[in-house]
Structures are given as C-alpha cells and as structure tokens.
Amino acid sequence: MRLLAVSIGDAKPVAGKTSGKSGIDKRPVDHPVMIGREGLAGDRIINRKYHGGADQAVYIEGSVDYDWWRSELGRDLPAGTFGENLLIEGLDNRHVAVGDRFRIGDVLLEITSARTPCATFAAHMGDPLMVKRYAAAARPGAYAHVLEEGVVRAGDTVDYMPVAGDRIGMPELMRTHGKRLDEDAKRRFLAAPIGERLRAMILAK
C-alpha cells in the first residue's frame, strides 16, 4: 500500500452553517508532516468534545471507498474531501477493524473507532442527506491513535497489519453506534482497543 495524500486543515466557517468554524476542510500538503500523539502538526481540531484527542488522533480513508463515492456522487472528490488526514491507496474501509495497525516509516497507528457522520460533514459536502447516505453505505473511515510518532509524506509505503482473532469491523461499529449492546457484544467491544469515547458510551448503556 502507499500513502496517496496527507491532508491538514485550519479553522474555517462551513458553507451552509450559520455559525462556528470547523477544521473539516482539509487540503493535501506536499511536505513532510509530523504525527504526534495528538495528531498531525498544523491540523486544527475545533470541537474537541467529539473530535481529536489521543484516541482519535488520525483519521484514515481508503482509496477504494473514495473511488466508490466518486461513482456514487458523480463528481470528483479531491483528497481531503471527507476531512481525513491520510488517504491510503488500495485500502477498503469495509475490511478495516479495531486493532488493525498501519506502519508508515517510523509512525505506527492502531485503529480505535469508526467515523460517525454529522451535520457539519453534510454541510461541508453540500448535501443535506449525506449523513444518511454515508451511514447507509456502511463504508466509514477509521480513527487511529498513535503508538509511535514520526514524520510522513505522500508517497510513503504503508504496511497494513490486520489484527488477529475476533475482528470488529468499521461497518459493525457504524451499525451499532448509539445502540444498546447485548452482554456478549459488550464484552467483545470492551476487550478490543476501542476509543475512549466509544468505550464510555458502551459502559453508559
């Protein structure tokens, strides 16, 4: 696999929203970028109640899903359109699971949770139905925490290391988000390296 793009964003108003700013408008950069425990250098995270933090330090999308969405929406989608930090060539989001790891040079990432679409995402995409469309497609991007820090840039080789054993995939996380899990499912989820927000949500239900 190869890193197609590294994207970062600044705080900007979102078209279609009457107030507030967001860092969802991310653009590819052609220079090396440091990835630390809290994410990419120069990337702004505004609403930290729902975004960012060590368990959602890096947001990843796969090129297979970008190609699918280009066909589905009938328009070009430049890297960064979905607000992701890393776009990985040959990656299919549907096959990514909690605990999967990605090695990019010195950087080691581990998947913690699935992207949950929101109103800001829909406004950014210019489609009021985008939240429902993204959820129905069941191809969510993935958040990762940073196990080992380092510098990355577009073109770097990506080594994908799927977690062994029971796999909790991104589609399953999206399908069960916000729902009460039975005890078996709860044990499965809590035994995996899921993000702290998701862990708290499961424990609260």
Side-chain angles (χ1 to χ4, degrees):
M1 289 181 172
R2 184 170 62 93
L3 191 55
L4 287 179
V6 179
S7 301
I8 60 177
D10 202 354
K12 299 178 183 177
V14 179
K17 294 195 72 177
T18 57
S19 63
K21 293 182 178 181
S22 171
I24 195 171
D25 184 12
K26 302 196 187 300
R27 306 295 175 92
V29 296
D30 59 6
H31 56 75
V33 177
M34 176 69 188
I35 296 184
R37 301 292 179 183
E38 293 287 327
L40 282 70
D43 188 41
R44 290 288 304 278
I45 306 296
I46 309 305
N47 187 349
R48 288 190 171 272
K49 180 178 180 180
Y50 300 107
H51 304 290
D55 63 328
Q56 294 186 0
V58 179
Y59 173 36
I60 298 170
E61 282 278 357
S63 72
V64 172
D65 305 277
Y66 252 75
D67 289 342
W68 187 88
W69 279 109
R70 288 182 180 112
S71 176
E72 177 73 11
L73 299 177
R75 61 187 175 98
D76 186 34
L77 299 172
T81 297
F82 283 2
E84 81 282 356
N85 299 118
L86 306 180
L87 179 59
I88 298 178
E89 183 179 47
L91 182 67
D92 187 329
N93 294 347
R94 296 171 299 175
H95 301 156
V96 176
V98 175
D100 286 357
R101 294 183 175 187
F102 294 85
R103 166 71 71 181
I104 311 171
D106 291 334
V107 175
L108 182 61
L109 306 174
E110 184 176 65
I111 300 302
T112 60
S113 56
R115 193 259 185 84
T116 303
C118 61
T120 297
F121 175 56
H124 172 67
M125 295 297 293
D127 182 353
L129 298 179
M130 194 61 195
V131 170
K132 290 184 177 180
R133 296 178 74 167
Y134 193 86
R139 311 174 72 104
Y143 287 111
H145 67 172
V146 180
L147 297 178
E148 297 176 15
E149 302 176 328
V151 175
V152 302
R153 72 179 305 163
D156 284 350
T157 298
V158 179
D159 184 15
Y160 176 40
M161 297 167 280
V163 67
D166 184 31
R167 293 178 61 77
I168 301 172
M170 296 303 102
E172 181 178 2
L173 286 183
M174 172 168 275
R175 185 173 65 252
T176 57
H177 182 79
K179 297 180 180 179
R180 183 184 295 275
L181 303 175
D182 63 34
E183 290 304 312
D184 287 341
K186 187 177 290 188
R187 281 193 291 270
R188 283 182 61 227
F189 278 50
L190 294 177
I194 58 174
E196 292 306 314
R197 292 178 180 87
L198 178 56
R199 186 173 297 274
M201 184 184 300
I202 292 171
L203 290 171
K205 289 188 176 292

